[in-house]
Structures are given as structure tokens and as C-alpha cells.
Amino acid sequence: MAHGPITWHEGELPRARRWASLGARGATVWLTGLSGSGKSTIASALERRLVEAGRWAYRLDGDNLRHGLCAGLGFGEADRKENVRRAGEAAVLMADAGMIAIVALISPYRADREAVRAAHERAGLRFLEVWVDTPLDVCESRDPKGLYKKARAGELKGFTGIADPYEAPEDAALRIPGGEMSVDDAVTSCLAIVDG
């Protein structure tokens, strides 16, 4: 079925006016790192701190997204790319609305994260990349979902950090040394860049 050209429909309320009315300033905090690095734990605590302070925030967790928005996507390179793209587009919409979108996603490929950054830049929104830099051996010792054990046994193909690469950020807004910093301190550091 052919469709005509798709055009962005501007609303009656400009972003600056919406944000001023809400007393909000949207942004995306994108936590990236290996499975078991602590991304989801930090993201949950950050969301709680922001909301308890009366700020609009919502967490987009990689596993949770695969129950709906990203359901049906696998873990091959093309599907991971699409997973990151979808999460990034959702984050752009949330940040535009004036929320702090908190994304916790392995997002192993640098180019995919840079594409999300570029989407935010085109929209005039802040993208704050946070690298939860937890060493592989620490992540593997935690193994909260038993995924490393399955990957080492050959039951999971292409698992990031074992059979597939993780490309660390080159210019993250914040590096959290996982395994060395408390969750509270990590959240405080995230808040500092959100408010910076």
C-alpha cells in the first residue's frame, strides 16, 4: 500500500513553553556497559531519587523494553542495532516532553550509541552517556541472570563480552568505575551531570 510523504506535525505548544509550564528540562541519561555491570541498579536508584525530588523521570530498561517495544528482536548485530534505535527514539520523545529519560541498555556498539546521540542533537536535546565501567571478571562473578555461565557453556551465541565485543565509549559524559563506587555515589554523580 502506497502512502504519501510523511511530515512531522508541529503542535501548538513549543518545547520551551511546555518545559516552562511544567518546570522541567528534558534530557536522556544513557547507561551503557556489560551485562551485570550495575546499569539497571543505578538506573532504578536514579529514577527514584529524581521522582522523589519532584522531577519527571522514567527508566527504560533493556530487558523491560524487550517485553513490548522491542519484543521479537533477537541478539544478533542487526537486531541489537534496531533495539538501540527504538530505545533512542523513545528517549528522544520523552526528553522532548520534559522528562529525564534514563536508559539502561548494554548497547555494545559505539556507532549505534552515536546514532542515538545524533538523534538527540538534531532534536536539540541533551544526551548524557554514562559508561558503567565494570570489569568483565566482576560482571561474570555477579552473573545475576546466569548468562555468563550459559555463554561459557556455549548455550548463548554472540554474548557481549564473551563472543561479541563491547565497544567502550570514547567520550562519555561520565565514567562510573563499577565495583569501586557505591550505588549512592554513582547516582549522585549522574545527578551532577543532569543538573550541569
Side-chain angles (χ1 to χ4, degrees), residues 7 26 36 55 58 61 65 70 75 90 94 97 106 111 126 132 134 165:
T7 306
R55 298 173 74 178
Y58 192 80
D61 184 81
L65 289 173
C70 298
F75 292 89
M94 293 168 69
I106 293 171
R126 293 184 307 145
V132 185
T134 306

mmCIF file of all heavy atoms in Angstrom, residues 7 26 36 55 58 61 65 70 75 90 94 97 106 111 126 132 134 165:
data_model
loop_
_atom_site.group_PDB
_atom_site.id
_atom_site.type_symbol
_atom_site.label_atom_id
_atom_site.label_comp_id
_atom_site.label_asym_id
_atom_site.label_seq_id
_atom_site.Cartn_x
_atom_site.Cartn_y
_atom_site.Cartn_z
ATOM 1 N N THR A 7 5.090 13.750 7.063
ATOM 2 C CA THR A 7 5.535 15.068 7.529
ATOM 3 C C THR A 7 5.345 15.170 9.027
ATOM 4 O O THR A 7 4.325 14.749 9.562
ATOM 5 C CB THR A 7 4.701 16.178 6.837
ATOM 6 O OG1 THR A 7 4.769 15.995 5.431
ATOM 7 C CG2 THR A 7 5.225 17.558 7.195
ATOM 8 N N GLY A 26 14.041 18.464 29.860
ATOM 9 C CA GLY A 26 14.263 17.098 29.424
ATOM 10 C C GLY A 26 15.698 16.798 29.046
ATOM 11 O O GLY A 26 16.464 17.681 28.656
ATOM 12 N N GLY A 36 25.470 -7.218 33.840
ATOM 13 C CA GLY A 36 25.940 -7.390 35.210
ATOM 14 C C GLY A 36 26.810 -6.254 35.716
ATOM 15 O O GLY A 36 27.341 -6.316 36.826
ATOM 16 N N ARG A 55 10.804 15.483 40.297
ATOM 17 C CA ARG A 55 11.183 15.668 38.893
ATOM 18 C C ARG A 55 10.627 14.533 38.049
ATOM 19 O O ARG A 55 10.503 13.403 38.510
ATOM 20 C CB ARG A 55 12.704 15.734 38.785
ATOM 21 C CG ARG A 55 13.223 16.942 39.569
ATOM 22 C CD ARG A 55 14.703 16.987 39.660
ATOM 23 N NE ARG A 55 15.271 17.378 38.393
ATOM 24 C CZ ARG A 55 16.581 17.538 38.207
ATOM 25 N NH1 ARG A 55 17.420 17.356 39.196
ATOM 26 N NH2 ARG A 55 17.033 17.891 37.032
ATOM 27 N N TYR A 58 11.753 8.727 33.944
ATOM 28 C CA TYR A 58 11.260 7.386 33.670
ATOM 29 C C TYR A 58 12.413 6.546 33.141
ATOM 30 O O TYR A 58 13.216 7.010 32.333
ATOM 31 C CB TYR A 58 10.115 7.408 32.651
ATOM 32 C CG TYR A 58 9.399 6.072 32.581
ATOM 33 C CD1 TYR A 58 8.451 5.721 33.542
ATOM 34 C CD2 TYR A 58 9.695 5.157 31.586
ATOM 35 C CE1 TYR A 58 7.805 4.489 33.499
ATOM 36 C CE2 TYR A 58 9.062 3.924 31.526
ATOM 37 C CZ TYR A 58 8.122 3.603 32.490
ATOM 38 O OH TYR A 58 7.490 2.379 32.456
ATOM 39 N N ASP A 61 14.495 0.228 30.693
ATOM 40 C CA ASP A 61 15.467 -0.834 30.925
ATOM 41 C C ASP A 61 15.472 -1.792 29.737
ATOM 42 O O ASP A 61 14.406 -2.143 29.209
ATOM 43 C CB ASP A 61 15.096 -1.587 32.212
ATOM 44 C CG ASP A 61 16.132 -2.633 32.563
ATOM 45 O OD1 ASP A 61 17.159 -2.262 33.150
ATOM 46 O OD2 ASP A 61 15.920 -3.825 32.232
ATOM 47 N N LEU A 65 12.162 -3.365 27.905
ATOM 48 C CA LEU A 65 11.775 -2.958 26.555
ATOM 49 C C LEU A 65 11.519 -4.166 25.658
ATOM 50 O O LEU A 65 10.689 -4.114 24.750
ATOM 51 C CB LEU A 65 12.858 -2.075 25.929
ATOM 52 C CG LEU A 65 12.999 -0.673 26.519
ATOM 53 C CD1 LEU A 65 14.213 0.019 25.934
ATOM 54 C CD2 LEU A 65 11.745 0.145 26.269
ATOM 55 N N CYS A 70 10.369 -3.587 22.007
ATOM 56 C CA CYS A 70 11.423 -4.308 21.280
ATOM 57 C C CYS A 70 11.187 -5.818 21.275
ATOM 58 O O CYS A 70 12.119 -6.595 21.026
ATOM 59 C CB CYS A 70 12.786 -3.967 21.873
ATOM 60 S SG CYS A 70 13.196 -2.213 21.727
ATOM 61 N N PHE A 75 19.283 -11.165 19.294
ATOM 62 C CA PHE A 75 20.504 -10.587 19.837
ATOM 63 C C PHE A 75 21.643 -10.556 18.829
ATOM 64 O O PHE A 75 22.790 -10.314 19.195
ATOM 65 C CB PHE A 75 20.914 -11.343 21.113
ATOM 66 C CG PHE A 75 19.944 -11.109 22.240
ATOM 67 C CD1 PHE A 75 18.843 -11.937 22.409
ATOM 68 C CD2 PHE A 75 20.109 -10.040 23.099
ATOM 69 C CE1 PHE A 75 17.930 -11.714 23.432
ATOM 70 C CE2 PHE A 75 19.199 -9.804 24.122
ATOM 71 C CZ PHE A 75 18.109 -10.642 24.289
ATOM 72 N N ALA A 90 12.454 6.438 21.581
ATOM 73 C CA ALA A 90 11.557 6.618 22.730
ATOM 74 C C ALA A 90 12.134 7.650 23.691
ATOM 75 O O ALA A 90 11.412 8.518 24.204
ATOM 76 C CB ALA A 90 11.329 5.289 23.448
ATOM 77 N N MET A 94 10.542 11.252 25.067
ATOM 78 C CA MET A 94 10.388 11.523 26.494
ATOM 79 C C MET A 94 11.136 12.792 26.896
ATOM 80 O O MET A 94 10.608 13.621 27.641
ATOM 81 C CB MET A 94 10.874 10.320 27.303
ATOM 82 C CG MET A 94 9.982 9.098 27.121
ATOM 83 S SD MET A 94 10.705 7.593 27.784
ATOM 84 C CE MET A 94 10.626 7.947 29.517
ATOM 85 N N ALA A 97 9.374 15.831 25.841
ATOM 86 C CA ALA A 97 8.218 16.104 26.701
ATOM 87 C C ALA A 97 8.620 16.767 28.013
ATOM 88 O O ALA A 97 7.770 17.283 28.726
ATOM 89 C CB ALA A 97 7.470 14.803 26.997
ATOM 90 N N ILE A 106 22.782 -2.421 27.396
ATOM 91 C CA ILE A 106 24.168 -2.783 27.088
ATOM 92 C C ILE A 106 24.666 -1.934 25.928
ATOM 93 O O ILE A 106 25.750 -1.379 25.985
ATOM 94 C CB ILE A 106 24.307 -4.288 26.765
ATOM 95 C CG1 ILE A 106 24.023 -5.132 28.016
ATOM 96 C CG2 ILE A 106 25.715 -4.600 26.238
ATOM 97 C CD1 ILE A 106 23.911 -6.634 27.751
ATOM 98 N N ALA A 111 28.891 2.853 17.341
ATOM 99 C CA ALA A 111 28.187 3.542 16.252
ATOM 100 C C ALA A 111 26.696 3.673 16.544
ATOM 101 O O ALA A 111 26.080 4.694 16.212
ATOM 102 C CB ALA A 111 28.409 2.803 14.931
ATOM 103 N N ARG A 126 19.624 17.160 25.209
ATOM 104 C CA ARG A 126 20.855 16.675 25.834
ATOM 105 C C ARG A 126 20.869 15.145 25.889
ATOM 106 O O ARG A 126 19.892 14.517 26.277
ATOM 107 C CB ARG A 126 21.017 17.234 27.244
ATOM 108 C CG ARG A 126 21.244 18.733 27.260
ATOM 109 C CD ARG A 126 21.503 19.271 28.648
ATOM 110 N NE ARG A 126 20.456 18.867 29.575
ATOM 111 C CZ ARG A 126 20.656 18.569 30.858
ATOM 112 N NH1 ARG A 126 21.860 18.630 31.377
ATOM 113 N NH2 ARG A 126 19.651 18.217 31.625
ATOM 114 N N VAL A 132 29.124 2.583 32.585
ATOM 115 C CA VAL A 132 29.280 1.824 33.822
ATOM 116 C C VAL A 132 30.394 0.819 33.535
ATOM 117 O O VAL A 132 30.176 -0.266 33.008
ATOM 118 C CB VAL A 132 27.962 1.149 34.254
ATOM 119 C CG1 VAL A 132 28.140 0.475 35.607
ATOM 120 C CG2 VAL A 132 26.836 2.192 34.333
ATOM 121 N N THR A 134 32.512 -1.644 34.506
ATOM 122 C CA THR A 134 32.760 -2.730 35.440
ATOM 123 C C THR A 134 33.547 -3.808 34.706
ATOM 124 O O THR A 134 33.125 -4.254 33.630
ATOM 125 C CB THR A 134 31.424 -3.308 35.962
ATOM 126 O OG1 THR A 134 30.651 -2.232 36.499
ATOM 127 C CG2 THR A 134 31.647 -4.356 37.033
ATOM 128 N N PRO A 165 32.050 -8.302 20.861
ATOM 129 C CA PRO A 165 32.758 -7.214 21.538
ATOM 130 C C PRO A 165 31.833 -6.237 22.245
ATOM 131 O O PRO A 165 30.651 -6.122 21.910
ATOM 132 C CB PRO A 165 33.479 -6.506 20.385
ATOM 133 C CG PRO A 165 32.576 -6.733 19.203
ATOM 134 C CD PRO A 165 32.003 -8.109 19.397
#
